[in-house]
Amino acid sequence: MSFGAFFLILLSVFLHAGWNFLSKAHRPSAAFYLLVNAVPAVLLLPFAGFAEIEWTALGWKFWLAFAGSWFGEVLYAIGLFRAYRKQDISVAYPLVRALPVLMVAAVTMIFRLGEMPGMTAWIGFVVVVVGCVILPQQSWGKVDWRGLLSAICGPILLAAAGTTAYTVMDSTATGILREHSLSGRVVTLCAFFGVMEVAISAALAGIVLTSRRERLELSRNLLTPWAYLSGVFSALAYLLVLAAMGMVSNVSFLQAFRQMSLPLGVAAGVVFLHEKLSATKVFGTVMIVAGLILSVL
């Protein structure tokens, strides 16, 4: 990996952990995430206008994959803000990032999508599972399975399922899109995600408008910079990853290095939100990071 790619991904890691920390620190809600998604929608949608894409020739398979990705993104947003309401970010963030790796692997194996995982990847998956079991535990004694299920099930599982859905569907949709685009990879993907962010924002707007609590949250967040700053961080993190892809010989290096956002998320929760730091939380996070790195090598 070149120094340029290293620097871009390092900055992306800080931005990704940063916007998640801001959303946790400032009363996570559908209204907050509406504003977060509205920022990249405004920033990226213009690409759809000047990108040379045959939108009318994309066909039903593209739009079905687009709809599946949109549904997954909405589930992810709903699950994430609810997870941050119930759990410490030092627990929720690593689990939401780690579980989709296992779930995507399961989906791709069941439906025979792409290359099957090798032995190193399988070892990585097992390490991730062990890390996920250890992370929410309060001590090294007997595993608290009820506490584990309470931490993972519900919003965290919803966010992970959403991530799995949009990851699989994005792969299909963007593959079809590139076949019908005369623009470069970065411009094409920016156009796709610009349109996607508009659709996500519309869904979240529907949730906000039908809830009195969310309307009040929207009024409050409109007057503060935190949601907008989170949206800028989110958009920049994505664009930096796109830029770094053209600077490496193997994208697995990028995926492995991006997992360093997990300890950053844990550290932010402990330092700034005064969440409890336990040995199990540290060891579980380390195992998740190690397992994720192994899974992409």
Side-chain angles (χ1 to χ4, degrees), residues 8-9 11-17 19 231-243 258:
L8 292 178
I9 293 300
L11 183 56
S12 172
V13 162
F14 276 95
L15 290 170
H16 192 276
W19 85 257
V232 171
F233 281 9
S234 175
L236 286 177
Y238 164 70
L239 292 174
L240 288 172
V241 171
L242 287 183
R258 288 182 69 194

Side-chain angles (χ1 to χ4, degrees), residues 208-219:
V208 170
L209 293 175
T210 55
S211 168
R212 182 176 181 275
R213 175 182 177 179
E214 292 295 345
R215 291 197 299 271
L216 292 174
E217 286 292 325
L218 181 61
S219 299

Side-chain angles (χ1 to χ4, degrees), residues 70-146:
W70 166 81
F71 184 68
E73 291 272 13
V74 174
L75 287 183
Y76 167 74
I78 295 172
L80 193 61
F81 81 74
R82 289 183 175 176
Y84 284 162
R85 283 179 179 174
K86 296 178 60 177
Q87 296 283 348
D88 288 348
I89 189 174
S90 52
V91 172
Y93 185 60
L95 290 176
V96 169
R97 292 277 280 170
L99 289 176
V101 175
L102 307 176
M103 296 169 76
V104 168
V107 170
T108 54
M109 284 188 295
I110 292 172
F111 294 99
R112 296 290 175 179
L113 302 174
E115 185 178 352
M116 294 297 102
M119 180 58 67
T120 303
W122 278 111
I123 294 173
F125 296 154
V126 173
V127 174
V128 168
V129 170
V130 174
C132 289
V133 172
I134 293 174
L135 179 68
Q137 303 303 318
Q138 301 300 316
S139 68
W140 291 105
K142 184 179 179 180
V143 175
D144 179 10
W145 293 107
R146 180 176 296 180

Side-chain angles (χ1 to χ4, degrees), residues 20-28 89 273:
N20 276 268
F21 166 75
L22 288 174
S23 68
K24 168 63 176 176
H26 297 281
R27 291 169 57 174
I89 189 174
L273 300 179

